[in-house]
Each structure stands twice: as C-alpha cells, then as structure tokens.
Amino acid sequence: MTSYGDILVAQGLFKSYGGVRALDGVGMPLRGGEVHALVGENGAGKSTLVRILSGTLAADEGVVRLAKDTRIATVSQELSLFSDLTVRENLFPYRPPRRFGLLDRGAMDRAARPVLAELGLDVDLNTEVGELPLADQQLTEIARALLRRPRLLILDEPTSALPAAAVDRLEGVLRTLTGRGIAVLYVTHFLEEVMRLAQRVTVLRDGRVALAGAHREDVDVPELVSAMLGGRPEQPVRRARTVVDLPPPVVLSGVSVPGRLADVTFTVRAGEVVGVAGLQGAGHLTALEVVCGRTAVSSGRGDIGGRGLPHSLRDAVRAGVAFVPSDRKRYGLMVDRAVWENTTSVSWLGLGRGGIAPSRTELVRRTAELTERLRLRGGPHDVVARLSGGNQQKVVFAKWLATEPKIVVLDDPTRGVDVGVRAEMHRIVGELAAGGAAVLIASTDLAELTEVCDRVLVFVRGRITEEVHGARLTDHALAVAMQQGASAAG
C-alpha cells in the first residue's frame, strides 16, 4: 500500500462537561490512504472526539495537528439536510457555483452526477429531500461531503440506515477514496464492517483509549467487544415464550395500500415477538404504519387492540399501541426539553394519566423509575440533546413504556447504538413480551431479528412471501428469502 503520511494527529485531548470527563488524554493519528475505525459504547467519547477533530468543538487540553491544505468533511449520524430544499440545493448549501451572478444549475449538475453515480444514488436533483427514503437521504449527505473534495472524511454511522446493496456501494467508494490518498475516520457500531473495511481500529471506553490504532489483522470481533466493554456483553437469553390465549392484539386481513401493500394478512398474539423484513420498498415498513395509524388502507380490515384499524397515531395510542421510530430526533423526541418532559409526554399529555395537573415531583419520580429500569446514563432533569445517541433512544423507550402498551411497534430500535445498549434494548423487548405485550419489529440488521423474534414475515413487493421461524430463523435464511423472493417477483 502506498504511504501518504499523517493527515491528522491528535494528542492528549481532554474535554469535560459540567465536571463529567468525556475525553481523558485521547490521541490518535489518521493516515492518508487508510480507513481508521473508531468504536466504543455510547457515552464512550466518540462524538466528542469527532467534534474536536472536525473543528466544531474546542478541547480543554491537547493538540490537533493537520497536514497542510487539509480539508475536512463530516457526515453525522443524525442527518443535517434541509428537508424542504431540493437534492441539488442540499448538495451545494454554501457558495454554490454562479454564472453572471446567478446560480449555475448546469455546473452544479455536472459536478453532482458523477458523485451520485459513484454512490449508486439515482434521484432527480429537483426532488425535495424530505420526499426521499431515509437511505437515500443518508447517501445524499455523503455525496454532499464528497463534493467538498476532502483530504479527511469523517463518517459517523454512515450505514445505519442503508440497505445491504447501498452498503456495498459505499464500501467500494471508500476503497476508491483511500486509493487517492484520502484519510477516512469511520465511526460505527457494526464490528463486522470494521473487519471488512478498516486498516486500523481505535476503541474508546469511558473517555479513554482502550485499544490504540490496532491493525485489523491483529484483532478479532470478540477482542474488540472486550475492549469496548471491559468484558463480555450481556447476551440476550432465548426463552420459550408464553403466548397468551386471548384474541390477538394485532390482526390484519387482506389489507392493501395502493403501490405499497397487496392483500396482506397476519396476526401478532399477546406475548409474541414478530419481525417484518424486506428490501427497501418491500412493504414491511408500510405494514407497521398501518398498525400505527400512519397510513390508511384502500381495502381489507383489521383489529388493533380490539378497536379496528386506527385512523391516526393518536387513535393507535388510545388502542394501546407504542411506536418507537427509527428517526428518533424527528419523530421520537423533544431534544431541547428535559428527560422527564419527554418520558411523560404521551402517558400524561396524550392519555391524561395522572389527572389534569399531576405534580412535577410525581412526573419526575416516575421518570426516575423508568430511567433506572433502562439503565439510562442521565437524570430526569438532563436535557435530551446532551445525551449520547444510545441514551436518547432509551428515553424514547421510556416514553412509551410509561403508557403500559398492549402493542409495541419498533422500527429499527437499535439503529446507531452500541452492543451494550443493544443487549439492554433486547432485554426490554423480552420483558415486554413476557408481560403480555404483542411486539412487532422491523430492523435493517437481520441478526437483530434472529436474536429477538419468534418468527419473521418476509415481504416482497407488498406481499408476504414467507414466514421464517424455529431452527430456520437465521440472518442468512432471511437474506436468502428476501433476495430470492425479489428475484422471483422481478
């Protein structure tokens, strides 16, 4: 491999927030022509380090040295696109090319198309970004970063919302970029990606370097997990679930949504965890939307919590539905408010539990009980925006647990969280089912479905083509069912 030298060197970085030390003497080099993976639990200090390296946050102590003429581009886990602007406008938000004082859309398109093609993103540049699927929005953000022609590219959980085919394309792009001498800092929770992509890996734990720039060939996944957690993660324990012998809380019968679902029928019984899986646009996520009252059906019938099909999310909540979305900041949280305000927003304000004017002390007490149950790092009065991504997701869980739901709908519930938080989330899912809730879950991580589900429904082009359960329920079997079903449908 050609040696391009160090693009960035960080040494002795310290950063504290209100007496809590987020970074404790962290350092690392980033070399041109290499993908350097950065991993660690939520709250380990990764986000703080990324912000310091990208220049958006000052360290309390330490130095960051950059090679001459180094341009840095960062793609954050939480998208920073303007949903009401077009793809073109989002790709050139600052200093767009002009001709005679006017925006030069031709120059913009000529610059953008090769980058979009390299990412395999086929979209109309005039489309508003808010109309794109989440995966295409994430690729748009990556394209915007590449258009800056950086010497250092920082990718924070870049594949958390991408289907497998898009991940493969991104990996090919990274190989091309490193071949040009670009340094890539790759922040991820998917350790398999680390082993495929990175030349080096650094692990942070509790704000300190637990593993420093190890060569990929010298470590394996168990060693990375041990470095992250200081031991082995708690593994979800499979159990024989007790399915409650009552009318199923979730029943869809012959449900259709034009262009999205066609004659879909399934049930989820109390005490059962059922997964839905499919390629992008297969209809599995639309099925979740129907259960949650976010999408109306054109034909068919259903029964959700004994009340028929809900006509809105409010109807669904009143029927006992809890909905944990994949985009927690957009749909799940009030990030500028305290944890207790978020966790009580549905149970009190939405359902009126606790009376017209419950005391703030009582609401905070209830929140403290939930956060302790979820092992959340943060107190009831902490502002949600200051929590790590994994702890923000726990706040979303706490908000819905407070409603004591009969039906729990989870859309990618562990997207962007570390293996420790993931295990805790899976523990909670098991507890919900054990308590008699019906759980319906979608995930971009097929291994997650095999770990927590009793059975998985595979969707292809709006129809259920297969149900996978028992000994056959493996991520490989799900992938085959999704791909073969799509090939057969095509």
Side-chain angles (χ1 to χ4, degrees), residues 141-359:
E141 182 124 17
I142 293 171
R144 180 169 69 183
L146 294 179
L147 282 165
R148 296 185 60 193
R149 300 186 182 279
R151 290 192 67 194
L152 170 58
L153 177 63
I154 300 175
L155 298 175
D156 188 358
E157 296 291 345
T159 64
S160 57
L162 298 183
V167 173
D168 290 341
R169 290 196 298 270
L170 177 60
E171 291 180 4
V173 170
L174 293 184
R175 284 190 287 270
T176 299
L177 294 176
T178 53
R180 298 172 187 164
I182 293 173
V184 178
L185 178 62
Y186 195 89
V187 185
T188 184
H189 290 109
F190 296 110
L191 301 184
E192 294 80 3
E193 290 182 4
V194 172
M195 303 308 293
R196 281 201 314 271
L197 277 173
Q199 284 72 52
R200 298 177 190 270
V201 56
T202 290
V203 179
L204 295 186
R205 184 174 73 244
D206 297 329
R208 298 177 179 176
V209 175
L211 184 68
H215 288 278
R216 177 185 59 190
E217 297 83 1
D218 296 334
V219 295
D220 57 20
V221 169
E223 289 174 319
L224 292 179
V225 171
S226 294
M228 289 170 61
L229 305 180
R232 300 291 177 180
E234 178 184 346
Q235 295 295 329
V237 178
R238 281 195 173 275
R239 61 175 182 82
R241 300 194 199 278
T242 301
V243 177
V244 181
D245 188 18
L246 293 172
V250 177
V251 177
L252 296 186
S253 181
V255 164
S256 294
V257 175
R260 299 169 69 184
L261 290 181
D263 194 28
V264 167
T265 297
F266 68 84
T267 63
V268 184
R269 295 169 293 173
E272 189 177 31
V273 180
V274 174
V276 293
L279 302 177
Q280 185 176 344
H284 55 304
L285 299 183
T286 301
L288 299 190
E289 293 175 0
V290 169
V291 173
C292 293
R294 299 181 64 199
T295 294
V297 305
S298 59
S299 60
R301 57 187 176 82
D303 194 317
I304 306 301
R307 299 176 56 144
L309 285 177
H311 299 292
S312 66
L313 182 56
R314 182 181 294 271
D315 280 348
V317 170
R318 288 172 176 166
V321 176
F323 173 53
V324 177
S326 61
D327 191 343
R328 56 179 172 261
K329 284 196 173 179
R330 188 173 181 184
Y331 298 116
L333 292 171
M334 300 179 290
V335 295
D336 59 339
R337 308 301 287 270
V339 171
W340 74 266
E341 293 175 280
N342 277 269
T343 58
T344 59
S345 61
V346 179
S347 60
W348 171 40
L349 295 177
L351 297 175
R353 294 180 181 171
I356 297 176
S359 72

